[in-house]
Amino acid sequence: MSEENQEQTAGAAPSRRKVIGWGGAGLALGAAAAGGAVALAGDGEGTAPVADTGAAVPFHGPHQAGIATAVQDRLHFAAFDVKTKDRAELVQLLKDWTRAAERMTAGAEVGEGAYGGLPEAPPDDTGEALGLKPSRLTLTIGFGPTLFDGRFGLKDKRPGALVELPKFPGDNLDPARSGGDLCVQACADDPQVAVHAIRNLARIGFGKVAVRWSQLGFGKTSSTTPDAQTPRNLFGFKDGTRNIAGTETERLAKHVWVSGKDAAGAAAWMDGGSYLVARRIRMNVETWDRTPLGEQEDIFGRDKREGAPVGKAKEHDEPFLKAMKPDSHVRLAHPDTNGGATILRRGYSFTDGTDGLGRLDAGLFFLAYQKDVRTGFIPVQTSLGRADALNEYIQHVGSALFAVPPGVRDKDDWWGRALFS
Amino acid sequence: MSEENQEQTAGAAPSRRKVIGWGGAGLALGAAAAGGAVALAGDGEGTAPVADTGAAVPFHGPHQAGIATAVQDRLHFAAFDVKTKDRAELVQLLKDWTRAAERMTAGAEVGEGAYGGLPEAPPDDTGEALGLKPSRLTLTIGFGPTLFDGRFGLKDKRPGALVELPKFPGDNLDPARSGGDLCVQACADDPQVAVHAIRNLARIGFGKVAVRWSQLGFGKTSSTTPDAQTPRNLFGFKDGTRNIAGTETERLAKHVWVSGKDAAGAAAWMDGGSYLVARRIRMNVETWDRTPLGEQEDIFGRDKREGAPVGKAKEHDEPFLKAMKPDSHVRLAHPDTNGGATILRRGYSFTDGTDGLGRLDAGLFFLAYQKDVRTGFIPVQTSLGRADALNEYIQHVGSALFAVPPGVRDKDDWWGRALFS
């Protein structure tokens, strides 16, 4: 084999190796930007669809990236329990995580030393993303209700919107796949880049936090890009067609970003943030696959081929709800059925092997962002849990809610500064 | 949103939708070929590296695709137990699977009816790959030792090379992740395409076979493309650098394809086939990540940054084994240490959530092809299991061996015809 071609050259974006400059010089953050390979999808304000899947998404901004950002192809999501009881140690970890996230989203390794470090010390980075492109990696942190239980003096800062989710009809939640003091959502177009990021954050947090549960998602099920076709879920349908696009500044302000009265009092630190609901939804694909096509289409309220609502021709045609069966999924999930409730969906399909009964352990890892779950996910899921015809084929087996703080403004800012200051 | 842009247009390859022609006309197999988007990697003979990750890989040929084919990015692997006791029913299933595999690898849906079918019947295809490109999907079938246990009158056709693997030092095998009467390896550059294929084969086999275990792989760890950099495993190292390339006809003939005396007697039906070893190798990444860089490099016998063997400058430089520690991984796995044993590696990294102890359930799903495991995997793993310094950080937790029959020659041929005829 040739010894010349040592560099992967699959595209225009700079490789991590190029970004950090292997000569040993420290990283100049923004190097990727100078290379012209930054995707315009960082701050969720008037951003354009992203074509270059190898590019870097800016980390700094008024909102965290990974919400309005055009949905990446792959997901690694992790919920953490905080093990330390020392508030200062937790704060230092959040600062360390922020610096690592800045570097990794720019396509660089964690830490200046990396492989130029001492052979006597463990490497600053685990190395498996070396040579890979930034791949539009975004890292989005959230704080769970249990973080506010008094251990860290945060009781007075628990927002009213950070409720305990009610038990919905049909819920069959596994505590081992639910909750968490912290979460990090890693999205990227290359799964190795997403896995690398979560693993390095877990490594940095060793002894202070422990992974409570995690979930890989192999395929996006939603679009936050205008005019794009909605990807299909594992039932073969397009769902969530009317999702909020990353460019719809007004809908984002109305339904997703916390501001004004929602960012007052205990929730003042949430100005510019959002609330994230994560649900692991097991789909009984084997049963579904034996269901007649007509029944499948009635259950969703769409045709399967095109994704058009009942009686309409195209996916994005306005649905006529009264033409649908009263228990159809689209009708029950529609804002008009739920007092206008609108959420930004960012879910991923998963397949985690088999369930011991010869069936695939597959489904939807549902992720939804909203400014207040009490007027977002809760009314929608109350409608669905009560009557959705789809309930015969699905089961919610994991659940978590997180307050997602605003973006990191600059290199002096850090994840959770307003909460802990 | 616009209603005009209903078609995903990410690249030059035709979408599945285009391939099958939505007007309702039946599929002309080879339509993808006519479109000029077929990757030259079908039969493992003198094939070139593939640039277009959306293209179709030819299904027919003297060898099955998915072995010498340039390694795709993603994997879904499934092992099946055969539930039927009726040989004719099993044969019919293999014929049905072959026809479905022909269609899916060409980028088409299973069955002519698909969505033009009757609303009273379940769809012929589950639908989640509609609109996706062929994505270099390959489907590779294998037959496990238990298929020859007498249920189907195949005792006399069990090849001598289809042994029971010995228990290697350090093995900690989970029976629920081991063995299987049949296997199908689905590789594709889009994971949704690989998952769709396995799921539809399982659906077609409902009542006759059941999924015993399955494994998703998110990142390839090997290269079968000349001159390419070897992808990194989850320890951050390049491993298997001297892998057999899909273009190395002589090495393939010598080490991978069954022929001549190996395809005589009971094994006559294996002419043009190969043997596949699958091992689920759990990697204790948290422990590894706390190991000093110098120790990591000693364990592998390579430097981490470049992947060069000890004392050398470049990944593909010839290793000088005596410069390495006696228990280093590269030295112990090298053909010179194992009587020339050489295998074609096609493994993938996996991350399957957490293990209940706050650690990632991550590792390597090792796949290796060879003409005879008795002169391939067995001597290599005997060396490694006994002494590899890496054993402190890994554990083999699943294992299976399959006889992989030759390729399907044409539209009248089917998977296993020579075995069952």
Side-chain angles (χ1 to χ4, degrees):
Chain A
M1 296 187 191
S2 158
E3 293 166 10
E4 305 307 310
N5 193 351
Q6 299 292 323
E7 189 73 44
Q8 293 184 334
T9 54
S15 76
R16 286 170 180 254
R17 196 163 161 184
K18 282 178 183 159
V19 168
I20 69 173
W22 269 118
L27 169 84
L29 273 173
V38 170
L40 298 172
D43 63 3
E45 301 287 9
T47 52
V50 173
D52 184 350
T53 59
V57 174
F59 179 74
H60 296 120
H63 311 295
Q64 289 193 73
I67 304 171
T69 307
V71 185
Q72 301 95 327
D73 288 341
R74 322 285 168 225
L75 168 82
H76 194 189
F77 189 98
F80 296 87
D81 290 328
V82 178
K83 295 298 185 185
T84 180
K85 292 177 175 144
D86 181 345
R87 176 179 163 127
E89 194 170 52
L90 174 58
V91 164
Q92 187 58 49
L93 173 63
L94 291 169
K95 290 178 178 175
D96 293 345
W97 271 10
T98 307
R99 299 288 85 82
E102 277 171 344
R103 294 183 64 93
M104 292 192 288
T105 55
E109 278 64 52
V110 178
E112 304 275 334
Y115 296 89
L118 297 171
E120 303 84 52
D124 290 337
D125 185 283
T126 56
E128 72 271 23
L130 254 174
L132 302 182
K133 292 188 282 183
S135 307
R136 296 204 300 125
L137 173 68
T138 56
L139 294 166
T140 313
I141 199 169
F143 302 130
T146 48
L147 194 70
F148 299 83
D149 62 7
R151 281 175 292 167
F152 305 106
L154 298 173
K155 272 192 173 174
D156 295 345
K157 290 201 167 182
R158 178 168 174 170
L162 192 61
V163 296
E164 295 294 333
L165 290 178
K167 184 177 183 334
F168 297 101
D171 275 5
N172 184 20
L173 305 180
D174 177 358
R177 291 193 190 268
S178 299
D181 295 329
L182 305 173
C183 76
V184 179
Q185 169 198 283
C187 295
D189 290 320
D190 183 333
Q192 182 122 337
V193 169
V195 168
H196 169 266
I198 292 292
R199 178 215 189 151
N200 277 274
L201 295 181
R203 180 182 59 79
I204 293 166
F206 178 74
K208 297 159 212 150
V209 295
V211 177
R212 179 178 174 86
W213 53 270
S214 73
Q215 180 69 55
L216 241 70
F218 68 78
K220 59 187 178 185
T221 61
S222 61
S223 168
T224 55
T225 310
D227 304 335
Q229 226 182 28
T230 304
R232 292 175 188 273
N233 63 24
L234 290 183
F235 285 158
F237 277 79
K238 302 174 188 175
D239 190 27
T241 283
R242 292 170 47 79
N243 205 17
I244 302 171
T247 48
E248 293 182 292
T249 313
E250 282 180 34
R251 288 181 83 201
L252 287 167
K254 185 172 176 189
H255 300 295
V256 177
W257 304 130
V258 176
S259 66
K261 67 175 174 50
D262 295 318
W269 60 276
M270 278 292 287
D271 197 5
S274 191
Y275 292 90
L276 167 62
V277 172
R279 306 278 286 188
R280 188 174 194 269
I281 305 176
R282 173 76 190 276
M283 293 161 73
N284 298 317
V285 295
E286 291 84 0
T287 312
W288 180 258
D289 290 346
R290 297 197 294 279
T291 303
L293 175 61
E295 197 174 325
Q296 291 186 2
E297 295 185 330
D298 281 349
I299 289 169
F300 268 97
R302 291 186 189 281
D303 93 293
K304 194 165 188 175
R305 186 191 311 186
E306 173 57 39
V310 172
K312 299 298 178 100
K314 296 284 190 183
E315 175 191 341
H316 293 295
D317 286 353
E318 189 66 33
F320 180 57
L321 298 184
K322 288 183 180 166
M324 300 175 181
K325 297 206 166 183
D327 60 354
S328 71
H329 183 71
V330 165
R331 182 166 176 172
L332 286 171
H334 196 276
D336 290 355
T337 310
N338 302 296
T342 303
I343 54 187
L344 185 155
R345 291 179 42 149
R346 251 186 159 270
Y348 287 81
S349 293
F350 68 83
T351 300
D352 291 342
T354 45
D355 68 356
L357 298 168
R359 298 177 305 204
L360 292 176
D361 180 4
L364 168 66
F365 188 66
F366 173 94
L367 294 169
Y369 288 90
Q370 60 246 280
K371 74 181 332 171
D372 193 328
V373 289
R374 294 169 298 186
T375 54
F377 177 75
I378 291 177
V380 175
Q381 185 54 28
T382 301
S383 285
L384 291 172
R386 200 178 280 150
D388 188 0
L390 204 51
N391 292 341
E392 194 178 330
Y393 304 92
I394 63 172
Q395 192 165 56
H396 288 236
V397 295
S399 177
L401 173 62
F402 301 96
V404 174
V408 173
R409 297 281 174 153
D410 54 38
K411 289 200 69 180
D412 296 320
D413 197 5
W414 45 277
W415 273 338
R417 183 181 49 80
L419 171 61
F420 285 92
S421 299
Chain B
M1 295 184 190
S2 161
E3 292 163 10
E4 306 306 312
N5 193 352
Q6 298 294 323
E7 190 71 46
Q8 292 184 335
T9 55
S15 76
R16 287 170 179 256
R17 195 165 161 183
K18 281 178 186 160
V19 169
I20 70 171
W22 268 117
L27 170 83
L29 273 173
V38 170
L40 299 172
D43 64 1
E45 300 288 7
T47 52
V50 172
D52 184 349
T53 58
V57 174
F59 179 74
H60 297 121
H63 311 295
Q64 289 193 72
I67 304 172
T69 308
V71 186
Q72 300 94 326
D73 288 341
R74 322 285 169 224
L75 168 82
H76 194 189
F77 190 97
F80 296 88
D81 291 328
V82 178
K83 295 297 184 185
T84 181
K85 291 174 177 148
D86 181 345
R87 176 179 162 127
E89 194 170 54
L90 174 58
V91 164
Q92 187 57 50
L93 174 62
L94 291 169
K95 290 177 179 175
D96 293 345
W97 271 10
T98 307
R99 299 288 86 81
E102 276 170 346
R103 294 183 63 92
M104 291 192 289
T105 54
E109 277 65 51
V110 178
E112 304 276 334
Y115 295 88
L118 297 172
E120 304 83 55
D124 290 338
D125 186 282
T126 57
E128 72 271 22
L130 255 174
L132 302 181
K133 293 188 281 184
S135 307
R136 295 203 300 126
L137 174 67
T138 56
L139 294 167
T140 313
I141 200 169
F143 302 130
T146 48
L147 194 69
F148 299 82
D149 61 8
R151 280 174 293 167
F152 305 106
L154 299 174
K155 271 191 174 173
D156 295 345
K157 290 202 168 181
R158 179 168 172 169
L162 191 61
V163 296
E164 295 294 334
L165 291 178
K167 185 178 182 333
F168 298 100
D171 274 5
N172 184 19
L173 305 181
D174 177 357
R177 291 192 190 269
S178 299
D181 295 328
L182 305 172
C183 77
V184 180
Q185 169 197 282
C187 296
D189 290 321
D190 183 332
Q192 182 121 338
V193 170
V195 168
H196 169 266
I198 292 293
R199 179 218 188 150
N200 277 275
L201 296 180
R203 181 182 58 79
I204 292 167
F206 178 75
K208 297 158 212 152
V209 296
V211 177
R212 179 179 173 85
W213 53 271
S214 74
Q215 180 69 55
L216 242 71
F218 69 77
K220 59 187 178 186
T221 61
S222 62
S223 169
T224 55
T225 309
D227 304 336
Q229 226 182 30
T230 304
R232 292 175 187 274
N233 63 23
L234 290 183
F235 286 158
F237 277 80
K238 302 175 189 175
D239 190 26
T241 283
R242 291 169 48 79
N243 205 16
I244 301 172
T247 48
E248 293 182 293
T249 313
E250 284 180 32
R251 288 182 83 200
L252 287 167
K254 185 172 178 191
H255 300 296
V256 177
W257 305 129
V258 176
S259 66
K261 68 174 174 48
D262 294 320
W269 61 275
M270 278 291 288
D271 197 5
S274 191
Y275 292 90
L276 167 62
V277 173
R279 306 278 286 187
R280 188 174 194 269
I281 306 175
R282 173 76 190 275
M283 294 161 73
N284 298 316
V285 295
E286 291 83 0
T287 312
W288 180 258
D289 291 345
R290 296 197 295 278
T291 302
L293 175 61
E295 197 174 325
Q296 291 187 1
E297 295 185 330
D298 282 347
I299 289 169
F300 268 96
R302 291 186 189 280
D303 92 296
K304 194 165 189 176
R305 186 192 311 187
E306 172 58 40
V310 171
K312 300 296 177 100
K314 295 284 188 183
E315 176 191 340
H316 294 294
D317 287 352
E318 189 66 33
F320 181 57
L321 298 184
K322 289 183 179 167
M324 300 176 182
K325 298 205 167 184
D327 61 355
S328 72
H329 183 72
V330 166
R331 182 165 177 173
L332 286 170
H334 196 276
D336 290 354
T337 309
N338 303 296
T342 303
I343 53 186
L344 185 154
R345 291 179 43 149
R346 251 185 158 271
Y348 287 82
S349 293
F350 69 83
T351 300
D352 292 342
T354 45
D355 69 355
L357 298 168
R359 299 178 304 204
L360 292 177
D361 179 5
L364 169 66
F365 188 65
F366 174 94
L367 294 169
Y369 288 89
Q370 60 247 281
K371 72 178 339 169
D372 193 328
V373 289
R374 294 168 298 184
T375 52
F377 177 74
I378 292 177
V380 175
Q381 185 55 27
T382 301
S383 285
L384 291 172
R386 201 178 280 148
D388 188 0
L390 204 51
N391 292 341
E392 194 178 331
Y393 303 92
I394 64 173
Q395 192 165 56
H396 288 236
V397 296
S399 177
L401 173 62
F402 300 96
V404 174
V408 172
R409 296 281 174 155
D410 53 39
K411 288 201 68 181
D412 296 320
D413 196 7
W414 44 279
W415 272 337
R417 182 180 49 79
L419 172 60
F420 284 92
S421 298

